[in-house]
Amino acid sequence: MGFLSHIDNHIIALVVGTLMLFGSFATINSRSASKFDHDFALILLITGIVSFGFGFKLIDFSQVKELWP
């Protein structure tokens, strides 16, 4: 299990973000997708981009927590 020791939160966020973006693009390009499916794909797209931002260390959640009252 030596290779698993290199996996941290940022790598997991990149993998999850990639899956979210693939899912959103697949749903958007589907011919049989309904309005609800397109709305859900937009949510997946936004959360995938946020997950990428965390994975590439562009977003620091400790600073985001300070914004809450």
Side-chain angles (χ1 to χ4, degrees), residues 55-69:
F56 285 122
K57 300 179 184 175
L58 299 173
I59 298 173
D60 185 18
F61 282 117
S62 63
Q63 294 176 350
V64 174
K65 288 180 185 177
E66 293 174 1
L67 296 174
W68 292 102

Side-chain angles (χ1 to χ4, degrees), residues 1-68:
M1 284 216 262
F3 70 95
L4 292 178
S5 64
H6 299 292
I7 297 176
D8 62 350
N9 292 341
H10 298 289
I11 294 174
I12 293 171
L14 287 173
V15 171
V16 169
T18 303
L19 291 174
M20 286 181 181
L21 290 177
F22 281 145
S24 71
F25 291 140
T27 304
I28 290 170
N29 289 330
S30 175
R31 292 181 186 217
S32 63
S34 66
K35 170 122 175 56
F36 175 77
D37 294 334
H38 282 260
D39 292 342
F40 189 71
L42 179 64
I43 293 170
L44 274 177
L45 181 68
I46 293 169
T47 54
I49 291 171
V50 169
S51 180
F52 260 22
F54 177 70
F56 285 122
K57 300 179 184 175
L58 299 173
I59 298 173
D60 185 18
F61 282 117
S62 63
Q63 294 176 350
V64 174
K65 288 180 185 177
E66 293 174 1
L67 296 174
W68 292 102

